[in-house]
Structures are given as C-alpha cells and as structure tokens.
Amino acid sequence: MATGTQLEKNPLLNKIHKILNTDIEENTELFDGLKAISNILPANNIRTRRNLRVDLEKHQLELYEDFLKAFTLVKERVEELDSDIKQMLKSCQDVNQQLVGVKSRTDDLINEAADLQAQSVKGELKLSVLECLHDTFQISTEDAELLCSANQPIDANFFRSLERAHQVEKNCKDMIRSGEQNLGFNMLDSTRSTMESAYQRLYQWTQNECRMRTQDTPEIGATLRKAMSELQDRPVLFK
C-alpha cells in the first residue's frame, strides 16, 4: 500500500488512491456521472475507453442540438405569441378609437337633446305666455261666436260671454295704463269691435222682442230685462 510520502510525490497515484477511497453511493454527482457514461459506452474495453472523450463530445453535441431544436421551437412559439399580442393590442386600439368616436357622437346627441329640450321648454313657456295673453286680453273664439253669430240665441250663455268680454276690455285698459300702449290699443280695438257687433245684435233682438209685446202679453222676461239693462250702457244705440 502506498505511503503518504509516495502519494505526495506521485499526483497520478494520489488521484487513483482518492478515487478508490471514494464512496460512490454517497457521492451522488460522481454516481450520476458514471451512470451517464455507462449509457454512452456500449462496452468496457480498450477501444471504447480510448474513444470516451470523442463519444462524450459527440453526446454533448447531440444534447446541444436537441436543446437548440427545443429552443427554436420555443422561440417560434414566443414569436407567434408576440404576434398574437400585437394583433390583440391593435384590435384593442381600434375598439378604443371606435369607443372614442361613439362617445363623441353620444356627447353630441346628448348636447343636441339638451338643446332641443331647452328649446322645447322655451317653446312651452312662450305658448303658455301666449295662451295667457290670449285668455286675458282677447275674446275667445267661442265667446265671439256666441256674441256675434246670428245662429246663436240670446240667452244666459250670451250674457256670460258678454261679461267676459267686459273683463277683457278692462284688462286691455289696464295694459295701456301700465305703459304697453301699442299692444294694449291693438287688443282693445279688436275687443271693442267684437263687443260693438254683440251690442248691435242685442239691440236688434231687443227691438224685435219689444215689437212682439202686446197688451195681451205685456210680461217682460228675465232675458229681455237683462238685455235692456245691458243696453243702458250704450245710449247711442237708442238715437
């Protein structure tokens, strides 16, 4: 057996001695290495041992080639994934642009709807004002029909319409006194024209009713009394 001095003087002997003293079962790295080499060597002879380095390099080259093939496949998959991601990004950008366009059009529609609503409110307000002006300062079409149409009877409805016409006349005078003279006089002229026609019709009706009265039927009905009371405000009709 080699002594310590011999091992120090002979490095090769030192390595051999170290290998012989190595517990293969505990040294997993060495065990795995030997196992891998055993798969490469078809037989343990002089020729295979001499070609061990070449076989190891060849095996290593095969491993590199397999790794390169696998890496190339991974690279292709990554490139495909990158292309898909870029396509998805472009699609998202297109959708985003469409959404921006839709939002812009929606904002325009909202603004337009708000403008239309505001105009509608203004229109309704103007209509309400006009209706109020018409009801306050003009004789209604229905009342004008009752007052002036020869087809309408002289009855309680006639006198109610005449009373409303007097109120409209008063409102027009109040407007004139408030300073709105042009509009007030125009409405007052229209009102008085209708009322004059109504009084002319009432006067003629009263005359006819009076002519039909005889000594046998001297009674004066309520409608005739109301008519004569109204005509007292128009003495010019009796001239």
Side-chain angles (χ1 to χ4, degrees):
M1 185 175 180
T3 62
T5 303
Q6 291 175 336
L7 292 176
E8 292 176 358
K9 292 181 179 181
N10 192 339
L12 180 59
L13 186 61
N14 185 22
K15 290 183 180 180
I16 294 173
H17 183 73
K18 185 176 181 180
I19 292 173
L20 292 175
N21 292 331
T22 300
D23 189 353
I24 297 177
E25 294 180 356
E26 294 181 359
N27 194 334
T28 56
E29 293 182 358
L30 179 60
F31 181 78
D32 292 338
L34 293 174
K35 185 177 180 181
I37 293 174
S38 66
N39 294 330
I40 298 173
L41 293 175
N44 186 7
N45 51 46
I46 296 175
R47 182 178 177 279
T48 56
R49 287 195 295 271
R50 288 177 179 176
N51 295 331
L52 178 60
R53 182 182 182 87
V54 176
D55 293 338
L56 289 175
E57 291 178 351
K58 182 179 179 181
H59 181 67
Q60 187 176 18
L61 181 60
E62 291 175 353
L63 292 177
Y64 286 158
E65 290 176 351
D66 293 340
F67 174 77
L68 181 59
K69 291 179 182 179
F71 182 78
T72 302
L73 182 60
V74 172
K75 180 176 177 294
E76 291 175 354
R77 295 292 184 269
V78 171
E79 289 176 349
E80 291 176 359
L81 181 61
D82 180 67
S83 177
D84 293 340
I85 292 175
K86 289 180 179 178
Q87 185 64 33
M88 291 176 61
L89 179 61
K90 184 178 182 302
S91 299
C92 291
Q93 291 175 346
D94 293 340
V95 171
N96 183 63
Q97 291 179 354
Q98 293 177 2
L99 289 175
V100 171
V102 170
K103 182 179 182 299
S104 177
R105 290 192 294 272
T106 302
D107 291 340
D108 293 340
L109 290 175
I110 291 174
N111 293 332
E112 184 177 353
D115 292 340
L116 291 174
Q117 185 176 7
Q119 293 176 6
S120 176
V121 171
K122 290 180 180 178
E124 292 176 357
L125 181 60
K126 289 181 180 179
L127 182 60
S128 299
V129 172
L130 290 175
E131 290 177 351
C132 181
L133 286 173
H134 182 273
D135 295 340
T136 305
F137 300 102
Q138 282 188 316
I139 298 174
S140 67
T141 303
E142 293 78 7
D143 285 341
E145 175 73 14
L146 288 171
L147 292 173
C148 301
S149 176
N151 297 325
Q152 298 294 332
I154 301 296
D155 55 10
N157 290 330
F158 175 90
F159 291 109
R160 280 193 289 268
S161 295
L162 188 60
E163 183 178 356
R164 286 192 290 268
H166 279 296
Q167 182 60 46
V168 171
E169 182 183 30
K170 179 180 179 301
N171 294 337
C172 292
K173 291 178 180 179
D174 291 340
M175 179 186 288
I176 294 171
R177 284 192 291 269
S178 69
E180 296 292 337
Q181 295 184 354
N182 291 334
L183 181 61
F185 277 119
N186 289 334
M187 291 185 172
L188 182 60
D189 290 342
S190 175
T191 300
R192 283 180 172 175
S193 175
T194 301
M195 292 180 68
E196 287 300 325
S197 298
Y199 274 108
Q200 285 288 347
R201 180 168 171 251
L202 181 62
Y203 175 70
Q204 292 174 1
W205 179 86
T206 303
Q207 278 188 327
N208 293 334
E209 288 293 318
C210 289
R211 290 193 186 102
M212 289 188 297
R213 292 291 180 270
T214 63
Q215 292 182 353
D216 296 333
T217 57
E219 295 86 0
I220 298 177
T223 303
L224 182 57
R225 286 197 298 271
K226 179 66 174 175
M228 296 178 70
S229 175
E230 288 289 342
L231 290 173
Q232 289 179 0
D233 296 331
R234 293 290 191 277
V236 67
L237 295 174
F238 293 100
K239 292 182 180 180

